[in-house]
Amino acid sequence: MHELSVAQALVDQVGDLAGQHGAKSVHLIRVRIGPLAGVVGDLLATAFPLAAAGTPAESARLDWVAAPIVVRCRTCGAKTEAQPNKLVCGACGDWRTEVVSGDELILETVELDIPESAGD
Amino acid sequence: MCDTCGCNVTPGNAKFAYKPVEPGATTISVLQGLLKKNDDQAEHNRAHFDKRGILAVNLMSSPGSGKTALLEATIKALKGELKVAVIEGDLETENDAERIRAQGVPAHQIVTGTACHLDAHMVHDALHHMDLDGIDILFVENVGNLVCPASFDLGQHANIALLSVTEGDDKPAKYPVMFRGADAVVISKTDLLAVLDDFSPDKAERHVRELANPAPILRLSARKGEGLDAWLAWLRSQLAAQRARVAAGRTQRPAIQPEGALMHGAEA
């Protein structure tokens, strides 16, 4: 449900970037989503055209990649992959771990169409 | 595996890695949180609280797990000791704010319409309707929902996730994003445990630990007053910690702030 809010936030942010760079449109938007971010990539992609209508991002393609969940064990130090509801160490089984990847919600890159006269 | 800095690109796969960019197009590397605007507003809200020495606590749970009842019991217990204010979030009605005001405490209701969560901008707008002078603790009662509220920082210092014993002890395993981000987990309506033989507080606690979350698990019944002392002690310790932080010019983000994003250099 809240993916539409996230899509609107993304479109705002991309619009700001387009404005800062004097771009007339946006070709491509790449985001990286971890399973622990609480945002579903496919739903974000569905919501995106609704949020982007009438903005510089209107004709942009949204590409999203899923980040793997990786935890580092505070007890044995191992770095292992984990499941969203089982963030325990894959090596020693201890639950005292920290997530090093898998909770990110990041705008990685945007590809902008910048008219030559607007370049600095 | 790194998709951002190009360290995984070899001469063999370079032609796949760098797709030709259309003429006139420029690629900008951004690497910032996708909710940057919300997060900026949340920082602004937090600075507002810190300036006044207020502890801001975000309550999240399913609808009907007892957030408002816990607030009512908390306000009664803290009367004369601490000044409390409440921001309520619901899709419709002023009912919860009225229940809080009946306790003699300022409350502002955010009516979200159809939105399934509060965001930092809604909380900021609500703050303009509230007089926070002399307030010690501001509670934000989020929209009843175990999914969406977990993704939005509001400017709070701590997150509470409530789990009532009628909901099932495996909720933390089913809704990991919410329960991973809790600074304290409240197991509510424990007076009903006597008639519910299928809820094990120990199992609920184990599911929280499996999310690598060391948060205290507070078992209580707001109606009967059982277990409230530990909850009030936790609140007092959080307020003391907040005052110490403010005195030292520091602040605290709730556990919900993705550590991973920080490690990826996404957000300062």
Side-chain angles (χ1 to χ4, degrees):
Chain A
M1 272 294 281
H2 64 299
E3 275 76 6
L4 184 57
S5 309
V6 178
Q8 279 162 344
L10 171 66
V11 166
D12 280 356
Q13 205 170 333
V14 169
D16 287 351
L17 285 164
Q20 282 162 22
H21 291 87
K24 62 176 200 277
S25 66
V26 182
H27 286 296
L28 176 75
I29 301 169
R30 276 196 88 192
V31 299
R32 186 177 176 88
I33 304 172
L36 292 170
V39 172
V40 181
D42 285 336
L43 292 182
L44 182 66
T46 307
F48 175 73
L50 297 171
T55 76
E58 186 162 25
S59 57
R61 187 160 64 85
L62 177 68
D63 249 10
W64 70 274
V65 288
I69 299 180
V70 177
V71 298
R72 180 171 36 227
C73 182
R74 294 182 205 267
T75 306
C76 78
K79 258 193 195 179
T80 50
E81 287 209 16
Q83 295 302 310
N85 61 1
K86 215 157 204 171
L87 301 172
V88 298
C89 174
C92 74
D94 202 305
W95 63 266
R96 277 162 282 242
T97 63
E98 59 189 338
V99 170
V100 292
S101 161
D103 60 356
E104 56 269 71
L105 186 59
I106 295 173
L107 172 57
E108 282 191 340
T109 54
V110 290
E111 208 176 283
L112 301 173
D113 188 3
I114 301 175
E116 263 172 42
S117 56
D120 45 1
Chain B
M1 181 74 177
C2 174
D3 287 334
T4 55
C5 74
C7 63
N8 58 344
V9 176
T10 63
N13 67 12
K15 61 179 179 293
F16 304 114
Y18 298 115
K19 291 187 196 115
V21 171
E22 287 179 47
T26 308
T27 302
I28 311 281
S29 177
V30 185
L31 279 185
Q32 63 188 17
L34 212 136
L35 290 171
K36 187 176 183 306
K37 280 198 167 169
N38 183 77
D39 294 347
D40 288 350
Q41 181 65 64
E43 287 304 329
H44 176 82
N45 294 352
R46 204 164 3 250
H48 188 71
F49 301 138
D50 290 343
K51 208 165 75 189
R52 288 166 177 75
I54 294 171
L55 172 71
V57 178
N58 179 26
L59 265 70
M60 298 181 283
S61 77
S62 329
S65 58
K67 294 184 293 297
T68 315
L70 176 61
L71 286 178
E72 287 171 322
T74 305
I75 292 162
K76 268 190 195 128
L78 293 176
K79 200 157 273 177
E81 180 191 343
L82 295 173
K83 281 190 80 178
V84 170
V86 179
I87 293 175
E88 289 283 347
D90 279 298
L91 269 64
E92 286 296 346
T93 83
E94 282 265 330
N95 295 356
D96 283 359
E98 282 164 11
R99 278 172 66 182
I100 298 299
R101 284 185 208 118
Q103 300 294 325
V105 157
H108 180 79
Q109 179 81 46
I110 300 174
V111 177
T112 64
T114 53
C116 46
H117 59 274
L118 296 180
D119 67 24
H121 299 281
M122 293 184 209
V123 169
H124 178 252
D125 290 345
L127 293 174
H128 282 290
H129 297 280
M130 303 185 80
D131 178 10
L132 292 181
D133 280 348
I135 297 295
D136 298 298
I137 304 179
L138 173 73
F139 289 103
V140 180
E141 184 182 332
N142 219 308
V143 177
N145 178 345
L146 277 180
V147 187
C148 316
S151 297
F152 295 85
D153 186 5
L154 308 176
Q156 74 275 27
H157 302 99
N159 287 315
I160 310 292
L162 276 83
L163 167 59
S164 68
V165 300
T166 55
E167 292 173 61
D169 50 28
D170 57 351
K171 278 289 181 290
K174 287 178 172 168
Y175 297 90
V177 177
M178 170 66 66
F179 286 93
R180 186 174 90 84
D183 295 285
V185 174
V186 169
I187 297 181
S188 60
K189 306 189 188 181
T190 53
D191 53 311
L192 297 178
L193 278 174
V195 289
L196 293 169
D197 55 4
D198 54 353
F199 186 100
S200 159
D202 290 341
K203 238 186 238 170
E205 180 161 351
R206 202 173 327 130
H207 286 305
V208 173
R209 296 298 171 244
E210 284 179 352
L211 303 175
N213 189 342
I217 315 283
L218 305 161
R219 306 175 186 190
L220 59 83
S221 162
R223 280 278 154 78
K224 306 281 184 216
E226 298 163 10
L228 267 184
D229 287 346
W231 157 247
L232 296 171
W234 184 84
L235 276 179
R236 289 188 191 101
S237 72
Q238 292 294 307
L239 180 61
Q242 165 66 356
R243 285 177 175 161
R245 280 193 298 270
V246 168
R250 288 182 293 114
T251 190
Q252 168 173 284
R253 294 191 179 99
I256 210 163
Q257 288 285 316
E259 291 171 61
L262 290 173
M263 287 172 199
H264 291 283
E267 197 84 35

